[in-house]
Amino acid sequence: MVVHGRFPERDRRRLSVLMPCWRCESTESSLEERVTTWLVDYFLKTHRGVGVHQDCAPDGQVLELGFDLITIITLSLGLLPRETRKDFHGRDDETRDAILQAGLPRLPYVSYLVEALLEAIDALLKRNLSFALSKPSWPIGVSWVVGLSHDVDHLSKWVARNLPLRVGDLKRAVREGDRILGALKSLLATAVGPYLGRRDPYSNVGDVAQIENQKGLAATYFLGVADPGYSPFEITYDPNTLTSSISFASLREMGHEVGLHGSYASGDHRDSLEHEAQQLRELSQSAVVGGRQHYLRFDRTAVSHSLRAGLLYDSSWGYWSKPGFRGGFGSPFQLGPVGVSASNRIVEIPMTIMDTSLREFLHLDPRGAAEAGNALITEASQASGLAVINWHNSAFDREDPRSFGQVFLELLEAVLENHGTIWTLETIARWWHYRDSLQASVDEDRLSVTHPDGLKAVSLRVLGNPSLVPVDEARGARLSTDPRGRRRLTVPTAGLDAVGAAG
Ligand SMILES: [Zn+2]
């Protein structure tokens, strides 16, 4: 952000937005409770936007926020020291996650609080004859984004290795008194082999890819390079089955991305991620720049392993038991040590809506699942944010007449109706890296925008007084008001087209 005003330097330094420090005021054990209670009061009980900021100096040069954004974000990311417990698979125990249990992840609350901070800065600068420019969330013409992804855990349903899963299906069918015959048939096919001429219900990656392609969409397919014998929870195919089942050439031709589904084993032995990424690059003849860990077994403090594996992004930040914006994040964010360059960080692309949480953990029927997914999609659009859909290929099970494949298609329709832009996760990560390197500066009365490889134009948000912004109209710069009433400065930038170039 660049701040500029028509007053002496010494006065400009006095403009301040203060925030309280809840960490100083609370003990560690009460901090989580305090943050959760504040968030519940602010977002779920009262109207948003109340009590955001207030003057705390008579000259109007200091504003104070009503909340401690830094503590909220660090606690939401699980980065403050607190008593954490791991679940059976070594992940944070979601049953003890106060924010999740309070129902807060149905909102991308971090995005709303950052917006409240920007509004406070806007108010402060307006009354002090100054302005600031802030980076755009998305390129020109993109108001909000949905990332489309598929974790591929199984390439065949009817294989002996899957017998325990099919026994589980049958038990569930008996318990629910529904589809017992279907579950029995599937169990038999798994035990003795497929019945004549029937294609395996999970041999469907190419079909899903084609459906998306016909809609003009591209998705990320997370594929694993695993030893299925490692654990009963491991990805169930080996590299040979992967190459014989997936046509990488046709995925590439359709514009889909191949990402790494880091094996269950790589959650225990993080060094193996590098080897898996390399092997997948060789097998798929694709760049493989991102990953999501099987069972979401990701350690956000172990970014170095993703970097060594040559990954630009990870998309394991999400809840397995419930859909929602984990820790209130409805936007990508950088993950890595503070103060290091972007090349030493990865982009985290939070996963929002996963078929298995809706189906297996919340036990929703297709209608309930579509409603839950739609609510999150609406929130992402309202926050000009991001929602990432993860639909396993097993959700497009041809044996199941209540296929969750239909729910997936309904969600896509809802995104397009809400004017969302659908991208692969690689495109999201590349934009976020690009955005990180955008710089604007004002020298005398000249504004310059620097960027590494160039969009046709970039649209910066103007906070404060727009009449002070030096607009170089001769070079095509212009001020405008966006549909939300926010002032924007569009600056053409010479150079090559990059991701999401302005239309
Ligand atoms: Zn998986």
Side-chain angles (χ1 to χ4, degrees):
M1 189 180 288
V2 54
V3 180
H4 190 67
R6 291 175 192 275
F7 43 76
E9 182 73 18
R10 64 174 189 281
D11 286 343
R12 199 191 315 171
R13 288 210 187 102
R14 291 179 53 205
L15 298 185
S16 307
V17 175
L18 305 178
M19 62 178 81
C21 177
W22 291 348
R23 278 160 298 159
C24 305
E25 298 162 6
S26 313
T27 61
E28 272 169 24
S29 58
S30 68
L31 194 56
E32 185 172 27
E33 197 182 320
R34 176 166 191 183
V35 168
T36 309
T37 306
W38 186 88
L39 289 169
V40 167
D41 285 346
Y42 187 75
F43 284 106
L44 304 183
K45 290 190 181 162
T46 58
H47 296 293
R48 293 175 208 174
V50 175
V52 173
H53 56 78
Q54 57 186 17
D55 282 311
C56 58
D59 58 6
Q61 295 202 335
V62 183
L63 285 185
E64 181 163 6
L65 287 178
F67 56 92
D68 176 358
L69 184 59
I70 292 169
T71 295
I72 292 174
I73 288 180
T74 42
L75 187 120
S76 297
L77 283 170
L79 293 177
L80 286 183
R82 65 189 169 117
E83 195 200 335
T84 49
R85 204 184 270 181
K86 297 292 179 186
D87 69 8
F88 180 79
H89 298 291
R91 307 166 297 194
D92 293 342
D93 183 353
E94 293 186 1
T95 62
R96 292 168 64 93
D97 183 321
I99 285 172
L100 176 63
Q101 297 308 325
L104 285 159
R106 67 184 167 86
L107 302 169
Y109 61 80
V110 168
S111 304
Y112 291 126
L113 294 177
V114 169
E115 177 60 29
L117 171 65
L118 293 178
E119 281 170 14
I121 295 171
D122 184 50
L124 183 74
L125 296 177
K126 266 191 184 124
R127 66 174 78 148
N128 287 284
L129 283 185
S130 191
F131 74 91
L133 300 170
S134 87
K135 292 181 186 185
S137 299
W138 304 111
I140 293 173
V142 175
S143 52
W144 66 286
V145 172
V146 162
L148 218 53
S149 64
H150 303 285
D151 287 2
V152 180
D153 294 346
H154 309 280
L155 287 168
S156 19
K157 186 175 185 183
W158 294 331
V159 287
R161 190 181 289 130
N162 287 343
L163 263 179
L165 294 173
R166 299 292 80 79
V167 171
D169 288 348
L170 180 61
K171 279 185 185 163
R172 190 160 47 234
V174 169
R175 205 170 46 239
E176 293 170 4
D178 187 25
R179 293 202 66 252
I180 298 170
L181 189 60
L184 194 60
K185 271 189 184 167
S186 187
L187 175 63
L188 284 175
T190 305
V192 299
Y195 19 122
L196 278 178
R198 297 261 333 252
R199 245 174 94 203
D200 190 282
Y202 289 171
S203 160
N204 56 11
V205 167
D207 302 343
V208 179
Q210 209 149 31
I211 292 170
E212 289 164 339
N213 181 251
Q214 282 162 0
K215 291 178 177 291
L217 303 173
T220 301
Y221 286 80
F222 287 115
L223 297 158
V225 179
D227 167 13
Y230 176 76
S231 151
F233 308 106
E234 188 57 281
I235 292 167
T236 60
Y237 52 88
D238 60 22
N240 287 334
T241 314
L242 175 67
T243 38
S244 61
S245 309
I246 299 286
S247 166
F248 290 108
S250 93
L251 280 181
R252 254 197 318 274
E253 265 166 40
M254 289 189 265
H256 296 299
E257 178 198 354
V258 172
L260 177 66
H261 199 28
S263 69
Y264 193 89
S266 74
D268 295 331
H269 314 284
R270 297 188 191 275
D271 285 342
S272 57
L273 202 63
E274 190 178 347
H275 173 68
E276 290 178 16
Q278 198 46 42
Q279 219 183 335
L280 184 60
R281 283 184 193 113
E282 283 161 20
L283 297 176
S284 67
Q285 295 293 300
S286 306
V288 183
V289 298
R292 179 180 292 131
Q293 292 297 109
H294 184 48
Y295 272 76
L296 307 180
R297 301 180 93 210
F298 176 69
D299 180 354
R300 59 195 164 282
T301 62
V303 164
S304 57
H305 296 285
S306 301
L307 287 170
R308 264 206 301 281
L311 303 181
L312 289 176
Y313 76 85
D314 170 83
S315 183
S316 309
W317 176 257
Y319 297 113
W320 57 266
S321 61
K322 281 183 188 157
F325 301 94
R326 182 170 178 186
F329 278 88
S331 138
F333 56 92
Q334 300 269 357
L335 205 52
V338 175
V340 299
S341 69
S343 59
N344 287 312
R345 293 185 305 237
I346 57 168
V347 178
E348 183 58 41
I349 303 179
M351 184 197 77
T352 328
I353 311 168
M354 176 162 76
D355 64 300
T356 42
S357 5
L358 300 164
R359 203 162 35 127
E360 291 173 18
F361 300 110
L362 295 184
H363 303 290
L364 295 175
D365 63 10
R367 178 192 282 266
E371 278 169 12
N374 271 327
L376 294 167
I377 281 169
T378 306
E379 281 295 337
S381 79
Q382 282 173 359
S384 306
L386 168 75
V388 170
I389 298 176
N390 172 19
W391 230 246
H392 289 78
N393 68 311
S394 48
F396 300 86
D397 180 349
R398 278 193 296 272
E399 276 192 317
D400 187 352
R402 301 174 307 170
S403 166
F404 261 53
Q406 192 54 38
V407 178
F408 175 75
L409 296 178
E410 281 175 36
L411 293 181
L412 295 190
E413 288 305 319
V415 174
L416 297 174
E417 274 170 27
N418 275 293
H419 311 291
T421 298
I422 296 178
W423 275 347
T424 64
L425 305 199
E426 177 180 357
T427 305
I428 295 169
R430 291 203 184 278
W431 158 255
W432 212 253
H433 264 295
Y434 181 89
R435 177 189 180 274
D436 196 49
S437 53
L438 266 177
Q439 297 290 337
S441 61
V442 179
D443 186 21
E444 296 295 312
D445 267 348
R446 278 183 62 85
L447 168 75
S448 56
V449 178
T450 56
H451 45 87
D453 44 13
L455 294 181
K456 282 180 183 166
V458 65
S459 169
L460 302 157
R461 178 164 167 194
V462 181
L463 302 171
N465 196 328
S467 65
L468 298 177
V469 180
V471 183
D472 192 348
E473 287 179 351
R475 295 186 62 204
R478 64 188 163 82
L479 276 172
S480 60
T481 305
D482 73 12
R484 291 172 189 253
R486 295 168 186 163
R487 299 289 277 165
R488 306 205 76 93
L489 172 68
T490 304
V491 188
T493 58
L496 303 168
D497 288 358
V499 54

